[in-house]
Amino acid sequence: MNRNKTICIIEDDQNYLMLTKKMIEFTSLFKEILTYRNGKQAFEGLMDWKSKNNSLPDIILLDINMPIWDAWDFLDEFCKEVQGWEGLIYIITSSIDKVDEAKAAEYSLVKGYLKKPVSFEKIIEIFNLN
C-alpha cells in the first residue's frame, strides 16, 4: 500500500478540522496532511506547495461554506491553475441543498459530494480510489 500520498483539508470549523485530521492521522495512510481554514488561504498555500514540491496533494477535502473564499471561489481559481492534475476533490458539507450538489457536479475535478461527518471507512475508501 502506497503511504506516500498527501491529503489536504480545507475547513473553517476548527473542531471539525481537528477531528478529521486526527481521524486521518489514525489511519496512517497519508505521509502528509495539509490544512487550511478558507479557500483563499488554501489556494495560496497549495500554489506555494506546488512551487516548492512540484506537486499537489493527491486528495482534497473541501468544505463549501467558508469565510473569505468559499468552495466555489477556490474551485474557480484552482481549476485554472491545475490542468492535468490527477488528484481527487471531495466536497464535504453539512448542506442538504440540492443546488450545492448540482453545482459541485459542474466541476470536473470534484469526484464526490460527502455529507459531514466523513467516516473513518470513507477516508479509507477515498485513499484506495486514488
Side-chain angles (χ1 to χ4, degrees), residues 75-117:
L75 286 167
D76 288 343
E77 294 305 313
F78 190 75
C79 290
K80 292 177 194 175
E81 298 294 327
V82 298
Q83 292 79 17
W85 178 62
E86 296 181 7
L88 305 174
I89 297 176
Y90 288 88
I91 299 291
I92 52 170
T93 185
S94 54
S95 172
I96 56 171
D97 190 342
K98 292 293 182 192
V99 172
D100 286 337
E101 196 166 350
K103 188 167 184 167
E106 294 174 9
Y107 293 90
S108 62
L109 292 178
V110 174
K111 302 304 179 199
Y113 188 90
L114 308 172
K115 301 285 195 279
K116 288 180 183 177

Side-chain angles (χ1 to χ4, degrees), residues 29-46:
L29 294 175
F30 296 91
K31 74 169 182 178
E32 188 99 33
I33 303 169
L34 307 176
T35 61
Y36 301 100
R37 299 290 303 275
N38 66 65
K40 187 172 192 311
Q41 180 191 59
F43 176 76
E44 292 169 352
L46 291 175

